[in-house]
Amino acid sequence: MSMSEIREKWKALGDKAKQKYIEKAKLSSEAYKEQKVKVDPQENSKETFITRTQLKTACDIIRNLEPQQVESVKAMGFGGLLRLKCTRLDRKLCEQLVSKFDPISLCLYVHGKSPIITPLDVHHILGLPCEGKRVILKGDISEILPLCETHCVGAQGSIPLRHLEKYVRNTEDNDDNFKVAFVLFIMGAVLCPTSELGVNRRFLHAVRTCLLLVN
């Protein structure tokens, strides 16, 4: 759902219906404020902002998905990303935002104000689910060995993004291997990019758990 559609639906709501959502937002805000720790972001040491976000590649992959793959992406809760059109980031802006964000209080310190950024905000912006079971990134290596073998990673090391990209581009299937490769690529290229050219194999534990729940 686009932002314009959300605005129209909001305008169409009656005052009583709006008040219900306003009260929920206030309660959520208060809950996060209770966790707030006074931190001056200006005191944080300045570090170079490095990331290997691959938005253009991700957009190209999404645009060329087969119809059955699109449905699988939606079923996994990543349907919001199918509308992704941004192909580049303003890295200086990102650096400023990161330097002004306090991960403990979840506050973004800008222009003398400190709005709280909640998972619900991420849900509204990216269309990703913000509820459900806790994501577990630990487990016995034997549980993910088959996935490690499929996706070119040993007991140590990361999963090459190049392999994941190639796998998703070259398959027309929407089986579990496609789902794993797509989710891992999106994690490493869009949602959780790092300075490396791979995805930490720990994410295989989370993906495996999700597949067990879905199947």
Side-chain angles (χ1 to χ4, degrees), residues 54 103 106 124 161:
Q54 298 185 30
L106 303 181
H124 286 319
L161 276 176

Side-chain angles (χ1 to χ4, degrees), residues 17-41:
K18 286 182 179 179
Q19 189 61 34
K20 180 179 68 174
Y21 289 105
I22 292 172
E23 291 300 324
K24 284 185 177 180
K26 287 181 179 179
L27 290 174
S28 177
S29 178
E30 290 301 321
Y32 278 103
K33 283 182 179 179
E34 290 179 2
Q35 304 174 18
K36 183 175 179 180
V37 177
K38 292 184 178 180
V39 176
D40 183 2

Side-chain angles (χ1 to χ4, degrees), residues 100 107-116:
K100 301 294 184 181
C107 288
L108 182 64
Y109 294 86
V110 288
H111 302 300
K113 298 182 179 180
S114 54
I116 296 174

Side-chain angles (χ1 to χ4, degrees), residues 56-92:
K56 186 175 181 180
T57 301
C59 287
D60 185 55
I61 286 177
I62 290 171
R63 186 169 58 250
N64 290 287
L65 290 175
E66 297 293 330
Q68 66 271 19
Q69 294 175 332
V70 169
E71 293 306 314
S72 291
V73 170
K74 291 179 180 178
M76 291 188 293
F78 288 84
L81 294 179
L82 296 173
R83 298 190 295 272
L84 185 66
K85 295 181 180 180
C86 177
T87 58
R88 60 180 300 179
L89 289 177
D90 185 328
R91 296 185 184 276
K92 287 190 176 181

Side-chain angles (χ1 to χ4, degrees), residues 94-206:
C94 289
E95 184 176 0
Q96 286 295 314
L97 290 174
V98 170
S99 68
K100 301 294 184 181
F101 181 71
D102 173 32
I104 299 177
S105 65
L106 303 181
C107 288
L108 182 64
Y109 294 86
V110 288
H111 302 300
K113 298 182 179 180
S114 54
I116 296 174
I117 308 300
T118 71
L120 189 59
D121 295 314
V122 179
H123 165 69
H124 286 319
I125 294 171
L126 293 179
L128 297 173
C130 61
E131 298 178 341
K133 292 185 176 294
R134 186 178 181 85
V135 176
I136 304 298
L137 299 179
K138 295 181 180 180
D140 194 312
I141 182 63
S142 63
E143 297 176 343
I144 59 172
L145 276 180
L147 290 175
C148 287
E149 293 173 359
T150 300
H151 297 289
C152 304
V153 61
Q156 302 293 330
S158 59
I159 308 167
L161 276 176
R162 183 170 56 183
H163 158 77
L164 296 170
E165 176 190 346
K166 183 178 179 181
Y167 190 97
V168 175
R169 285 186 184 277
N170 292 341
T171 183
E172 296 182 356
D173 297 329
N174 64 330
D175 56 10
D176 286 351
N177 285 329
F178 161 76
K179 295 173 184 176
V180 170
F182 179 83
V183 171
L184 290 176
F185 178 77
I186 289 298
M187 295 293 288
V190 180
L191 300 179
C192 304
T194 66
S195 58
E196 298 182 2
L197 291 173
V199 182
N200 194 304
R201 68 176 181 83
R202 293 186 304 160
F203 285 114
L204 286 173
H205 289 290

